[in-house]
Amino acid sequence: MWAQVINICFGLWIIIAPGIFDYNPAAADNGHILGPVIVTFSVVALWEATRVVRKWNYPIAVWLLLGPWILEYSSDIAVASDMISGMLILIFSSFKGEVKNEYGGGWAVLWNNNDP
């Protein structure tokens, strides 16, 4: 859970950093689009039953690592911010967290041979 809270903070950082450091329009748009998505996935992943949603941040983190060169950022601060944030989001999205309860069982329940 703590790793998802950190990812929420990184998502918020990606949202506000363009306003603080005056990014170019491509970098600012990238932050304003991806930041809320990161926050959303991290908030959903806070609940134990939907913890797997944390992995949905992987492609976003990879885009943060590649995006500065594809979108040709003009600010070194924007490149560094997105690269560091992307790397840390990728790392913190890998932490599963403690599982305390079992929920459902998915499709495997249909083929369970333990009849009552």
Side-chain angles (χ1 to χ4, degrees):
M1 182 168 131
W2 60 271
Q4 301 318 312
V5 172
I6 293 172
N7 275 346
I8 291 169
C9 293
F10 279 119
L12 293 173
W13 169 252
I14 291 170
I15 294 169
I16 64 170
I20 294 172
F21 295 114
D22 195 33
Y23 290 4
N24 65 334
D29 290 345
N30 196 41
H32 292 145
I33 292 169
L34 297 181
V37 176
I38 292 167
V39 171
T40 301
F41 290 162
S42 299
V43 167
V44 170
L46 287 172
W47 188 40
E48 190 174 330
T50 56
R51 188 79 39 92
V52 73
V53 174
R54 76 189 190 284
K55 294 181 180 182
W56 295 0
N57 276 330
Y58 288 169
I60 297 169
V62 170
W63 174 254
L64 285 172
L65 293 171
L66 299 175
W69 285 275
I70 294 170
L71 299 176
E72 298 178 357
Y73 287 9
S74 61
S75 169
D76 291 338
I77 294 174
V79 172
S81 174
D82 279 8
M83 293 284 296
I84 292 168
S85 297
M87 184 173 43
L88 292 173
I89 289 168
L90 194 61
I91 290 168
F92 287 120
S93 293
S94 299
F95 289 106
K96 182 177 181 180
E98 184 180 348
V99 176
K100 297 177 185 173
N101 299 312
E102 294 290 326
Y103 297 98
W107 288 98
V109 173
L110 296 175
W111 293 280
N112 192 355
N113 292 330
N114 299 332
D115 294 327

Coordinates of all heavy atoms in Angstrom, one line a residue, residues 20-97:
I20 N 5.2 24.5 -12.6 CA 6.3 25.1 -11.7 C 7.5 25.4 -12.6 O 8.1 26.5 -12.4 CB 6.7 24.0 -10.6 CG1 5.5 23.9 -9.7 CG2 7.9 24.5 -9.9 CD1 5.7 22.7 -8.6
F21 N 7.9 24.5 -13.5 CA 9.1 24.7 -14.3 C 8.9 25.2 -15.7 O 9.8 25.3 -16.5 CB 9.9 23.4 -14.4 CG 10.4 23.0 -13.0 CD1 9.9 21.8 -12.4 CD2 11.3 23.7 -12.3 CE1 10.3 21.4 -11.2 CE2 11.8 23.3 -11.1 CZ 11.3 22.2 -10.5
D22 N 7.6 25.5 -16.1 CA 7.3 26.1 -17.4 C 7.8 25.3 -18.5 O 8.7 25.7 -19.3 CB 7.9 27.5 -17.5 CG 7.2 28.3 -18.7 OD1 6.1 28.1 -19.0 OD2 8.0 29.1 -19.3
Y23 N 7.3 24.0 -18.6 CA 7.6 23.1 -19.7 C 7.1 23.6 -21.0 O 6.2 24.4 -21.1 CB 7.0 21.7 -19.4 CG 7.5 20.9 -18.3 CD1 8.5 21.4 -17.4 CD2 7.0 19.6 -18.1 CE1 9.0 20.6 -16.4 CE2 7.5 18.8 -17.0 CZ 8.5 19.3 -16.2 OH 8.9 18.6 -15.2
N24 N 7.7 23.0 -22.1 CA 7.2 23.3 -23.4 C 5.8 22.7 -23.6 O 5.5 21.8 -22.8 CB 8.1 22.9 -24.5 CG 8.3 21.4 -24.6 OD1 8.2 20.7 -23.6 ND2 8.7 20.9 -25.7
P25 N 5.0 23.0 -24.5 CA 3.6 22.5 -24.6 C 3.5 21.0 -24.7 O 2.6 20.4 -24.1 CB 3.1 23.2 -25.9 CG 3.8 24.4 -26.0 CD 5.2 24.1 -25.5
A26 N 4.4 20.4 -25.5 CA 4.4 18.9 -25.6 C 4.6 18.2 -24.2 O 3.9 17.3 -23.8 CB 5.4 18.4 -26.6
A27 N 5.6 18.7 -23.5 CA 5.9 18.1 -22.2 C 4.8 18.4 -21.2 O 4.5 17.5 -20.4 CB 7.2 18.7 -21.7
A28 N 4.2 19.6 -21.3 CA 3.2 19.9 -20.3 C 1.9 19.1 -20.6 O 1.3 18.6 -19.7 CB 2.8 21.4 -20.5
D29 N 1.6 18.9 -21.9 CA 0.4 18.1 -22.2 C 0.6 16.6 -21.8 O -0.3 16.0 -21.3 CB 0.1 18.1 -23.7 CG -0.4 19.5 -24.2 OD1 -0.8 20.3 -23.3 OD2 -0.4 19.8 -25.4
N30 N 1.9 16.2 -22.0 CA 2.2 14.8 -21.6 C 2.0 14.6 -20.1 O 1.4 13.6 -19.6 CB 3.6 14.5 -22.0 CG 4.0 13.0 -21.9 OD1 3.2 12.2 -22.3 ND2 5.1 12.7 -21.4
G31 N 2.4 15.6 -19.3 CA 2.3 15.5 -17.8 C 0.8 15.6 -17.4 O 0.3 15.0 -16.5
H32 N 0.1 16.5 -18.1 CA -1.3 16.7 -17.7 C -2.2 15.5 -18.1 O -3.3 15.4 -17.6 CB -1.9 18.0 -18.4 CG -1.2 19.2 -17.8 ND1 -1.0 20.3 -18.6 CD2 -0.8 19.5 -16.5 CE1 -0.4 21.3 -17.8 NE2 -0.3 20.8 -16.6
I33 N -1.8 14.8 -19.1 CA -2.5 13.6 -19.5 C -2.1 12.4 -18.6 O -3.0 11.6 -18.1 CB -2.3 13.2 -21.0 CG1 -3.0 14.3 -21.8 CG2 -2.9 11.9 -21.3 CD1 -2.6 14.3 -23.3
L34 N -0.9 12.1 -18.5 CA -0.4 10.9 -17.8 C -0.5 11.0 -16.3 O -0.7 10.0 -15.6 CB 1.1 10.6 -18.2 CG 1.3 10.3 -19.6 CD1 2.8 10.0 -19.9 CD2 0.4 9.1 -20.1
G35 N -0.3 12.2 -15.7 CA -0.4 12.3 -14.2 C -1.7 11.8 -13.6 O -1.7 11.0 -12.7
P36 N -2.8 12.3 -14.1 CA -4.1 11.8 -13.6 C -4.3 10.3 -13.8 O -4.9 9.6 -12.9 CB -5.2 12.6 -14.3 CG -4.5 13.8 -14.8 CD -3.1 13.4 -15.1
V37 N -3.8 9.8 -14.9 CA -3.9 8.3 -15.1 C -3.1 7.5 -14.1 O -3.6 6.5 -13.5 CB -3.5 8.0 -16.6 CG1 -3.6 6.5 -16.8 CG2 -4.4 8.7 -17.6
I38 N -1.9 8.0 -13.8 CA -1.1 7.4 -12.8 C -1.8 7.4 -11.4 O -1.8 6.4 -10.7 CB 0.3 8.0 -12.7 CG1 1.1 7.7 -14.0 CG2 1.1 7.5 -11.5 CD1 2.3 8.5 -14.2
V39 N -2.3 8.6 -11.1 CA -3.0 8.7 -9.8 C -4.2 7.8 -9.7 O -4.4 7.1 -8.7 CB -3.4 10.2 -9.6 CG1 -4.3 10.3 -8.4 CG2 -2.2 11.1 -9.4
T40 N -4.9 7.7 -10.8 CA -6.1 6.9 -10.8 C -5.8 5.4 -10.6 O -6.3 4.7 -9.8 CB -6.9 7.1 -12.1 OG1 -7.3 8.4 -12.2 CG2 -8.1 6.2 -12.2
F41 N -4.8 4.9 -11.4 CA -4.4 3.5 -11.3 C -3.9 3.2 -9.9 O -4.1 2.2 -9.3 CB -3.4 3.2 -12.3 CG -3.9 3.1 -13.7 CD1 -3.0 3.1 -14.8 CD2 -5.3 3.0 -14.0 CE1 -3.5 3.1 -16.1 CE2 -5.7 2.9 -15.3 CZ -4.9 3.0 -16.3
S42 N -3.1 4.2 -9.3 CA -2.5 4.0 -8.0 C -3.6 4.0 -6.9 O -3.5 3.2 -5.9 CB -1.5 5.0 -7.7 OG -0.4 4.9 -8.6
V43 N -4.6 4.8 -7.0 CA -5.7 4.9 -6.0 C -6.5 3.6 -6.1 O -6.8 3.0 -5.1 CB -6.6 6.1 -6.2 CG1 -7.9 6.0 -5.4 CG2 -5.8 7.4 -5.8
V44 N -6.8 3.1 -7.3 CA -7.5 1.9 -7.4 C -6.7 0.7 -6.9 O -7.3 -0.2 -6.2 CB -7.9 1.6 -8.9 CG1 -8.5 0.2 -9.1 CG2 -8.9 2.6 -9.4
A45 N -5.4 0.7 -7.0 CA -4.5 -0.4 -6.5 C -4.4 -0.3 -5.0 O -3.8 -1.3 -4.5 CB -3.2 -0.3 -7.2
L46 N -4.9 0.7 -4.3 CA -4.8 0.7 -2.9 C -5.6 -0.4 -2.2 O -5.2 -0.9 -1.2 CB -5.2 2.1 -2.3 CG -4.3 3.2 -2.5 CD1 -5.0 4.5 -2.1 CD2 -3.0 3.0 -1.8
W47 N -6.7 -0.8 -2.9 CA -7.6 -1.8 -2.3 C -7.0 -3.2 -2.6 O -6.5 -3.4 -3.7 CB -9.0 -1.7 -2.9 CG -10.0 -2.6 -2.3 CD1 -10.1 -2.9 -1.0 CD2 -11.0 -3.2 -3.0 NE1 -11.2 -3.7 -0.8 CE2 -11.8 -4.0 -2.0 CE3 -11.4 -3.3 -4.3 CZ2 -12.9 -4.7 -2.3 CZ3 -12.5 -4.1 -4.6 CH2 -13.2 -4.8 -3.6
E48 N -7.0 -4.1 -1.7 CA -6.4 -5.4 -1.8 C -6.9 -6.2 -3.0 O -6.2 -6.9 -3.7 CB -6.5 -6.1 -0.5 CG -5.7 -7.4 -0.4 CD -5.8 -8.0 0.9 OE1 -6.0 -7.3 1.9 OE2 -5.7 -9.2 1.0
A49 N -8.2 -6.1 -3.3 CA -8.8 -6.9 -4.3 C -8.4 -6.4 -5.7 O -8.5 -7.2 -6.7 CB -10.3 -6.9 -4.2
T50 N -8.0 -5.2 -5.8 CA -7.7 -4.6 -7.1 C -6.2 -4.2 -7.2 O -5.8 -3.4 -7.9 CB -8.5 -3.4 -7.5 OG1 -8.4 -2.4 -6.4 CG2 -10.0 -3.8 -7.6
R51 N -5.4 -4.9 -6.4 CA -4.0 -4.6 -6.3 C -3.2 -4.8 -7.6 O -2.3 -4.1 -7.9 CB -3.3 -5.5 -5.2 CG -1.9 -5.2 -4.8 CD -1.7 -4.1 -3.9 NE -2.7 -3.9 -2.8 CZ -2.6 -4.4 -1.6 NH1 -1.6 -5.2 -1.3 NH2 -3.5 -4.1 -0.7
V52 N -3.8 -5.7 -8.5 CA -3.1 -5.9 -9.8 C -3.1 -4.7 -10.7 O -2.3 -4.6 -11.6 CB -3.8 -7.2 -10.4 CG1 -5.1 -6.8 -11.0 CG2 -2.9 -7.7 -11.5
V53 N -4.0 -3.8 -10.4 CA -4.1 -2.5 -11.3 C -2.8 -1.7 -11.2 O -2.5 -1.0 -12.1 CB -5.3 -1.7 -10.8 CG1 -5.4 -0.4 -11.6 CG2 -6.6 -2.5 -11.1
R54 N -2.0 -2.0 -10.2 CA -0.7 -1.3 -10.1 C 0.1 -1.5 -11.3 O 0.9 -0.7 -11.7 CB 0.0 -1.7 -8.8 CG 0.7 -3.1 -8.9 CD 1.2 -3.6 -7.6 NE 2.0 -4.7 -7.8 CZ 1.6 -6.0 -8.0 NH1 0.3 -6.2 -8.1 NH2 2.4 -7.0 -8.2
K55 N 0.0 -2.7 -11.9 CA 0.8 -3.0 -13.1 C 0.4 -2.2 -14.3 O 1.1 -2.2 -15.3 CB 0.7 -4.5 -13.4 CG 1.3 -5.4 -12.3 CD 1.2 -6.9 -12.6 CE 1.9 -7.7 -11.5 NZ 1.8 -9.1 -11.9
W56 N -0.8 -1.6 -14.3 CA -1.2 -0.8 -15.4 C -0.3 0.4 -15.5 O -0.4 1.1 -16.6 CB -2.7 -0.5 -15.3 CG -3.6 -1.7 -15.4 CD1 -3.2 -3.0 -15.6 CD2 -5.0 -1.7 -15.3 NE1 -4.3 -3.8 -15.6 CE2 -5.4 -3.0 -15.4 CE3 -5.9 -0.7 -15.1 CZ2 -6.8 -3.3 -15.4 CZ3 -7.3 -1.0 -15.1 CH2 -7.7 -2.3 -15.2
N57 N 0.4 0.8 -14.5 CA 1.3 1.9 -14.5 C 2.6 1.6 -15.3 O 3.4 2.5 -15.6 CB 1.7 2.4 -13.1 CG 0.6 3.3 -12.6 OD1 0.0 4.1 -13.3 ND2 0.4 3.3 -11.3
Y58 N 2.9 0.3 -15.6 CA 4.1 -0.1 -16.3 C 4.2 0.6 -17.6 O 5.3 1.3 -17.9 CB 4.2 -1.6 -16.5 CG 4.5 -2.4 -15.3 CD1 4.4 -3.8 -15.3 CD2 4.9 -1.8 -14.1 CE1 4.6 -4.6 -14.2 CE2 5.2 -2.6 -13.0 CZ 5.0 -4.0 -13.0 OH 5.3 -4.7 -11.9
P59 N 3.2 0.5 -18.5 CA 3.4 1.2 -19.8 C 3.5 2.7 -19.7 O 4.2 3.3 -20.5 CB 2.2 0.8 -20.7 CG 1.3 0.0 -19.7 CD 2.0 -0.3 -18.5
I60 N 2.8 3.3 -18.8 CA 2.9 4.7 -18.6 C 4.3 5.1 -18.1 O 4.9 6.1 -18.6 CB 1.9 5.2 -17.6 CG1 0.5 4.9 -18.1 CG2 2.0 6.7 -17.3 CD1 -0.6 5.1 -17.1
A61 N 4.9 4.3 -17.2 CA 6.3 4.6 -16.7 C 7.3 4.4 -17.9 O 8.2 5.2 -18.0 CB 6.6 3.6 -15.6
V62 N 7.1 3.4 -18.7 CA 8.0 3.2 -19.9 C 7.8 4.4 -20.8 O 8.8 4.9 -21.4 CB 7.7 1.9 -20.6 CG1 8.4 1.8 -21.9 CG2 8.0 0.7 -19.7
W63 N 6.6 4.9 -21.0 CA 6.4 6.1 -21.9 C 7.1 7.3 -21.3 O 7.7 8.1 -22.0 CB 4.9 6.4 -22.1 CG 4.8 7.7 -22.8 CD1 4.3 8.9 -22.3 CD2 5.1 7.9 -24.2 NE1 4.3 9.8 -23.3 CE2 4.8 9.3 -24.5 CE3 5.5 7.1 -25.2 CZ2 5.0 9.8 -25.8 CZ3 5.7 7.7 -26.5 CH2 5.4 9.0 -26.7
L64 N 7.1 7.4 -19.9 CA 7.8 8.6 -19.3 C 9.3 8.5 -19.5 O 10.0 9.5 -19.6 CB 7.5 8.6 -17.8 CG 6.1 9.1 -17.4 CD1 5.8 9.0 -15.9 CD2 5.9 10.6 -17.8
L65 N 9.8 7.3 -19.7 CA 11.2 7.1 -20.0 C 11.6 7.4 -21.4 O 12.6 7.9 -21.7 CB 11.7 5.7 -19.6 CG 11.6 5.3 -18.1 CD1 11.9 3.8 -18.0 CD2 12.6 6.1 -17.3
L66 N 10.6 7.1 -22.3 CA 10.9 7.3 -23.8 C 10.3 8.6 -24.3 O 10.8 9.1 -25.3 CB 10.3 6.1 -24.6 CG 10.8 4.7 -24.2 CD1 10.0 3.7 -25.0 CD2 12.3 4.6 -24.5
G67 N 9.3 9.1 -23.7 CA 8.6 10.3 -24.2 C 9.4 11.5 -24.4 O 9.2 12.2 -25.4
P68 N 10.3 11.8 -23.5 CA 11.1 13.1 -23.7 C 11.9 13.1 -25.1 O 12.0 14.2 -25.7 CB 12.1 13.1 -22.6 CG 11.4 12.3 -21.5 CD 10.6 11.3 -22.2
W69 N 12.3 11.9 -25.6 CA 13.0 11.9 -26.9 C 12.0 11.9 -28.0 O 12.3 12.4 -29.1 CB 14.0 10.8 -26.9 CG 15.2 11.1 -26.1 CD1 16.3 11.8 -26.5 CD2 15.3 10.8 -24.7 NE1 17.1 12.0 -25.4 CE2 16.6 11.4 -24.3 CE3 14.6 10.2 -23.7 CZ2 17.0 11.3 -23.0 CZ3 15.1 10.1 -22.4 CH2 16.3 10.6 -22.1
I70 N 10.9 11.2 -27.9 CA 9.9 11.1 -28.9 C 9.2 12.5 -29.1 O 9.0 12.9 -30.3 CB 8.9 10.0 -28.7 CG1 9.6 8.6 -28.7 CG2 7.8 10.0 -29.7 CD1 8.8 7.5 -28.2
L71 N 8.9 13.1 -28.0 CA 8.2 14.4 -28.1 C 9.2 15.6 -28.2 O 8.7 16.7 -28.3 CB 7.3 14.6 -26.9 CG 6.2 13.5 -26.7 CD1 5.4 13.8 -25.4 CD2 5.2 13.6 -27.9
E72 N 10.5 15.3 -28.1 CA 11.5 16.3 -28.2 C 11.3 17.5 -27.2 O 11.1 18.6 -27.6 CB 11.6 16.9 -29.6 CG 12.0 15.8 -30.6 CD 12.0 16.3 -32.1 OE1 11.7 17.5 -32.3 OE2 12.3 15.5 -33.0
Y73 N 11.4 17.1 -25.9 CA 11.3 18.1 -24.9 C 12.5 19.2 -25.0 O 13.6 18.8 -25.4 CB 11.5 17.5 -23.5 CG 10.3 16.7 -23.0 CD1 9.3 16.4 -23.8 CD2 10.3 16.3 -21.7 CE1 8.2 15.6 -23.3 CE2 9.3 15.5 -21.2 CZ 8.2 15.2 -22.0 OH 7.2 14.5 -21.5
S74 N 12.2 20.4 -24.8 CA 13.2 21.5 -24.9 C 13.9 21.8 -23.6 O 14.8 22.5 -23.5 CB 12.6 22.7 -25.5 OG 11.6 23.2 -24.6
S75 N 13.3 21.3 -22.5 CA 13.8 21.6 -21.1 C 14.5 20.3 -20.5 O 13.9 19.3 -20.5 CB 12.7 22.0 -20.2 OG 13.1 22.1 -18.9
D76 N 15.7 20.6 -20.0 CA 16.4 19.5 -19.4 C 15.8 19.1 -18.1 O 15.8 17.9 -17.7 CB 17.9 19.9 -19.1 CG 18.7 20.0 -20.4 OD1 18.3 19.4 -21.4 OD2 19.8 20.7 -20.3
I77 N 15.1 20.0 -17.4 CA 14.4 19.7 -16.2 C 13.2 18.8 -16.5 O 13.0 17.9 -15.7 CB 14.0 21.0 -15.5 CG1 15.2 21.8 -15.0 CG2 13.0 20.8 -14.3 CD1 14.9 23.2 -14.5
A78 N 12.5 19.1 -17.5 CA 11.4 18.2 -17.9 C 11.9 16.8 -18.2 O 11.2 15.8 -17.8 CB 10.7 18.8 -19.1
V79 N 13.0 16.7 -18.9 CA 13.5 15.4 -19.2 C 13.9 14.6 -18.0 O 13.5 13.5 -17.8 CB 14.7 15.5 -20.2 CG1 15.4 14.1 -20.4 CG2 14.3 16.0 -21.5
A80 N 14.6 15.3 -17.1 CA 15.0 14.7 -15.8 C 13.9 14.3 -15.0 O 13.8 13.2 -14.4 CB 16.0 15.6 -15.1
S81 N 12.9 15.2 -14.9 CA 11.7 14.9 -14.1 C 10.9 13.7 -14.6 O 10.6 12.8 -13.8 CB 10.8 16.1 -14.0 OG 9.6 15.9 -13.3
D82 N 10.7 13.6 -15.9 CA 9.9 12.5 -16.4 C 10.7 11.2 -16.3 O 10.2 10.2 -16.0 CB 9.5 12.8 -17.8 CG 8.3 13.7 -17.9 OD1 7.8 14.2 -16.9 OD2 7.8 13.8 -19.0
M83 N 12.0 11.3 -16.6 CA 12.9 10.1 -16.5 C 12.9 9.5 -15.1 O 12.7 8.3 -14.9 CB 14.3 10.4 -17.0 CG 14.4 10.7 -18.5 SD 14.2 9.3 -19.5 CE 15.7 8.4 -19.1
I84 N 13.2 10.4 -14.1 CA 13.3 9.9 -12.7 C 11.9 9.4 -12.2 O 11.8 8.4 -11.6 CB 13.8 11.1 -11.8 CG1 15.3 11.3 -12.2 CG2 13.7 10.7 -10.4 CD1 15.8 12.6 -11.6
S85 N 10.9 10.2 -12.5 CA 9.5 9.8 -12.1 C 9.1 8.4 -12.8 O 8.6 7.6 -12.1 CB 8.5 10.8 -12.5 OG 8.8 12.0 -11.8
G86 N 9.4 8.3 -14.1 CA 9.1 7.0 -14.8 C 9.8 5.8 -14.2 O 9.2 4.8 -14.0
M87 N 11.1 6.0 -13.9 CA 11.9 4.9 -13.3 C 11.3 4.5 -11.9 O 11.2 3.4 -11.6 CB 13.3 5.3 -13.2 CG 14.2 4.2 -12.7 SD 16.0 4.7 -12.8 CE 16.0 6.3 -12.2
L88 N 11.0 5.5 -11.1 CA 10.5 5.2 -9.7 C 9.1 4.7 -9.8 O 8.8 3.8 -9.0 CB 10.7 6.5 -8.9 CG 12.1 6.9 -8.6 CD1 12.1 8.3 -7.8 CD2 12.8 5.8 -7.7
I89 N 8.3 5.2 -10.7 CA 6.9 4.6 -10.8 C 7.0 3.2 -11.2 O 6.3 2.3 -10.7 CB 6.1 5.5 -11.8 CG1 5.7 6.8 -11.1 CG2 4.8 4.7 -12.2 CD1 5.1 7.8 -12.1
L90 N 7.9 2.8 -12.1 CA 8.1 1.5 -12.5 C 8.5 0.6 -11.4 O 8.0 -0.5 -11.2 CB 9.1 1.4 -13.7 CG 9.3 0.2 -14.5 CD1 8.0 -0.1 -15.2 CD2 10.4 0.3 -15.5
I91 N 9.4 1.1 -10.6 CA 9.9 0.3 -9.4 C 8.8 0.2 -8.4 O 8.5 -1.0 -7.9 CB 11.1 1.0 -8.8 CG1 12.3 0.9 -9.7 CG2 11.5 0.4 -7.4 CD1 13.5 1.8 -9.3
F92 N 8.1 1.2 -8.0 CA 7.1 1.2 -6.9 C 5.9 0.4 -7.4 O 5.1 -0.1 -6.6 CB 6.8 2.5 -6.4 CG 7.9 3.1 -5.6 CD1 8.5 4.3 -5.9 CD2 8.3 2.5 -4.4 CE1 9.5 4.9 -5.1 CE2 9.3 3.0 -3.6 CZ 9.9 4.2 -4.0
S93 N 5.6 0.4 -8.7 CA 4.5 -0.4 -9.2 C 4.8 -1.9 -9.1 O 3.8 -2.7 -9.3 CB 4.1 0.0 -10.6 OG 3.7 1.3 -10.7
S94 N 6.0 -2.3 -8.9 CA 6.4 -3.7 -8.8 C 6.1 -4.3 -7.4 O 6.0 -5.5 -7.3 CB 7.8 -3.9 -9.2 OG 8.1 -3.4 -10.5
F95 N 5.9 -3.4 -6.4 CA 5.7 -3.9 -5.1 C 4.2 -4.4 -5.0 O 3.3 -3.6 -5.1 CB 6.0 -2.8 -4.0 CG 7.4 -2.6 -3.9 CD1 8.0 -1.4 -4.4 CD2 8.2 -3.5 -3.2 CE1 9.3 -1.1 -4.2 CE2 9.6 -3.2 -3.1 CZ 10.1 -2.0 -3.6
K96 N 4.0 -5.6 -4.6 CA 2.7 -6.1 -4.5 C 2.0 -5.7 -3.2 O 0.8 -5.4 -3.2 CB 2.7 -7.7 -4.6 CG 1.3 -8.3 -4.6 CD 1.5 -9.8 -4.7 CE 0.1 -10.4 -4.7 NZ 0.1 -11.9 -4.9
G97 N 2.6 -5.8 -2.1 CA 2.0 -5.5 -0.9 C 1.5 -6.7 -0.2 O 1.5 -7.8 -0.8

